[in-house]
Each structure stands twice: as C-alpha cells, then as structure tokens.
Amino acid sequence: MGMLKSGIDSKCLDSVIFALVLCLTMPALYFASSNQRRKAKIEKQEFGKLADGTAIALYTLTNRNGLEVQISNYGGAVVSIKTPDRTGRMGDVVLGYDQPQSYADDTVFFGIIVGRYANRIAKGKFALKGVEYQLAQNNPPNHLHGGVRGFGKVIWNGREVSRSDGTALELSYLSKDGEEGYPGNLSVRVTYVVTNANELRIEYSATTDKATIVNLTNHSYFNLAGAGAGSILQSRLKINASRFTPIDETSIPTGELRPVKGTPFDFTRATVIGSRIDQADEQLRFGKGYDHNFVLNKKGRELSLAAEAYEPKSGRVLEVWTTEPGLQLYTGNFLDNVHGKGGKVYNKRDAFCLEAQHFPDSPNQPGFPSTVLEPNGRYTETTVYKFTVRGAGKGH
C-alpha cells in the first residue's frame, strides 16, 4: 500500500507541475500559435505621398511570433501595432492614420517621435550658459513637444539594422542649430526593435556640437481593445510611482513632487482608469483628466518596469519599461472627432498615452533632473513596450 500510495502521489505531483508550467508559458505560446506561419522580417513599401508629392515610406517589422509593428519615416510615427487578444484574434492597438498627409495635418501627435523637448516648457523660454532662448509658444502660453514642426513633421532617414534580439529599423535626423529656436546641431538616432520577446523596444541616442536641452519620447496612443474600439476608461492601470508633479492651470509643473497617496493619482495598485477621472480634484480639472508626469520609483537610469495596463475584455496586457525618470499619463482628453485608420473615429478618452520622459519644464526647474546635453556627452534612453495576454484560450 505504501508503494502504491507513493506512486500515485508522484504521478499527481507530475501532473500538478505540468499544469503549472503550462499556465505560466501559455501566454507566450498562445501569442506564437496565433501566427504560426509568420517569420521575423522587415519590409519597406510606399506609405503614400505628402501634398507636395514627397513619397513617404512605411516599414513593417514582424517578429517570429507574429507581433507586427508599422513605422513611417515621416515623424518616425508608429502607425500600427498588431497583437493577439486572448482568443488569438489579431488587433491594432494604436491610433493613427491611413495616409502620411494626415500625419502632416495632425495636431494630436499620433505615434510620433517627440523632440527636441517632449512635453511643455513654460512660456517657451529657457536660459543656458547665460543665453536666454525663446521657443515657439505653440501651446499658448507654453512650448509643447518641440514646437510647430518638432521631430514629428520631418522626414527621417531609415535603414534596416541587424540585431540578434529581433527585427530592427534605425531612423536618423540632423536637427540643425537654431531649428525651432534650439541651440546646437543635434544628431539623433532612434532604433525601433520588434524583439522575439514580443516587445517594441525603442532606443534613443543624440549628440550635439553646442550645449542644448534634449528630452525625447514616443507619443503612441494605446487602446488595448483595439484602435477605434471606444473608451479606455475600463482598462486597468498600474504605475510604479509614489509621487507626481502637480501642474498649474497652464499645465506647467509647480516644482512640487507630491505623494500620490490619498489622491486620484494613486496607481500604485492596478486601478480602473475611469474610476476617479471625473472627481472634483483641481489637478484633474487643470488637465481635463489625466495629463500629468509621474515620478518613477527608481534609483538611477536602470531599465525598470514603469507601468502595466490591462484591458479585461481582450485580455491584452501592455508593460512599459524605461530608463527615464518620468512617465506622462495622458488619457486622450482633447481627442474630438478625429478620423483615423479604416474609417474609425477617435473621441475623448478613446486612448491613453504612457510617455517615458524627463520631467516637463525641467530647464526652468532646478530641482528636476537635468535635460542639458553637452558637446562631449551623449543622450541615451531606452523604452520598451511589452505585449502579453491574460487568460489565453478563453472567451470574453
């Protein structure tokens, strides 16, 4: 009896271990199984033409599991990201346009590389090395996302690069001294890698020949239920930040690093995005919802988990990892009848942005981490958007 009991226990134990391993690996396996025939590759095609006849390219990067990302050389825009839901159905989870001219006319920064300075600079002014610089006040009375054209309305040079971790596209651009009012010739490289771990990895690098300020980010708008699927207010969000930077009525940080505890900005535990967004809170009123920088809990420039979003109907999960000190949460508060891809219309709170960055208005805030780049230095930053699913194989 003892031997028989031992044999039964051993078989049961083996079954339990197998079930646990299956549960842990199923999301990754299921991601792959939904597109078994795909092979890692990069393809280039014409996206369309601008009004002046300039041809714009579109690069499609696919990993061996079927994650597909499309990137335009106009503004470096992430045009689409296609990932499976828990049933294996592929869906595009970023807002965007079908034609490059729409990106040229765009006023909401869909998917683009933002620079030279992401977010706002108070009254468009900053001083550096004893010189005061005046930038465009394109978000009156402040400067926003690099100015009138910024990096989102220029053509980048694109080339495929070889990477062991996935399929990669390198975009480069020379921002000349005085462009948008910024000092120095800034040479910028942004590498998009679609890794075999189902990530969109974005690596930024920049050098200058004169002291300047730099703060780069990507401005993708996410809806994990699918672009154009409606409100994101039922998605759950967790942000690894115990403080945020409150703003004034023009969305400029006051300089305070305020604890999130006891406020609608506490996302230290997974929280439904819409659960507190309309509360009677001065900060929410100033931002028309969430449009705030969170101070990430980290020691230095290590690549660390900044946020996790989960969409319960689709089962899609988005993790954001970054080397940056801050993360801007924006809940699409100013989207209004925007005509996007496939005839879809995007409206208020139909997407969220998680923009890894240095803090807004840092050049005028001595208590914030510096965004100054010297001629003998190099700006580097890495941000990773990782896609998984929960409850793979289950219905809605």
Side-chain angles (χ1 to χ4, degrees), residues 52-81:
D52 65 3
T54 303
I56 300 301
L58 185 69
Y59 297 85
T60 303
L61 288 69
T62 310
N63 76 357
R64 63 191 181 200
N65 302 322
L67 175 64
E68 180 192 285
V69 179
Q70 290 188 314
I71 299 160
S72 170
N73 67 335
Y74 187 80
V78 175
V79 174
S80 75
I81 299 176

Side-chain angles (χ1 to χ4, degrees), residues 237-247 258-269 271 273 275-277 279-295 327-331 333:
L237 180 64
K238 181 178 180 180
I239 301 178
N240 185 23
S242 57
R243 296 174 296 171
F244 75 107
T245 53
I247 56 176
R258 182 179 298 177
V260 299
K261 188 174 181 179
T263 78
F265 294 82
D266 189 351
F267 287 94
T268 54
R269 294 184 179 182
T271 303
I273 293 175
S275 62
R276 301 168 303 193
I277 198 168
Q279 284 186 5
D281 177 89
E282 182 181 66
Q283 286 298 305
L284 291 173
R285 181 167 59 82
F286 285 163
K288 305 287 192 293
Y290 295 108
D291 192 6
H292 294 75
N293 171 67
F294 286 75
V295 181
L327 186 76
Q328 183 87 3
L329 168 62
Y330 172 54
T331 45
N333 310 317

Side-chain angles (χ1 to χ4, degrees), residues 296 298 300-304 321-326 356 358 380-384:
L296 296 175
K298 59 194 306 175
R301 289 184 43 76
E302 73 276 13
L303 183 67
S304 60
W321 295 68
T322 189
T323 57
E324 290 294 273
H358 268 62
T380 59
E381 171 197 343
T382 299
T383 296
V384 177

Side-chain angles (χ1 to χ4, degrees), residues 28 34 54 58 123 180 205 211 216 220 236 247 254 280 288 296 328 337 353 363 366 371:
S34 64
T54 303
L58 185 69
K123 298 182 174 59
E180 291 282 6
S205 174
L216 306 179
S220 287
R236 293 181 173 271
I247 56 176
T254 63
K288 305 287 192 293
L296 296 175
Q328 183 87 3
N337 197 38
C353 303
T371 53

Side-chain angles (χ1 to χ4, degrees), residues 39 59 68 106 119 126 128 174 179 189-190 203 208 215 224 228 245 257 294 316 338 343 356 372 392:
K39 290 185 178 181
Y59 297 85
E68 180 192 285
D106 171 80
N119 219 304
F126 71 96
L128 186 60
L174 176 62
E179 183 177 304
R189 294 184 186 277
V190 179
E203 299 171 351
T208 183
N215 182 27
L224 298 179
T245 53
L257 304 182
F294 286 75
R316 293 189 180 98
V338 179
V372 175

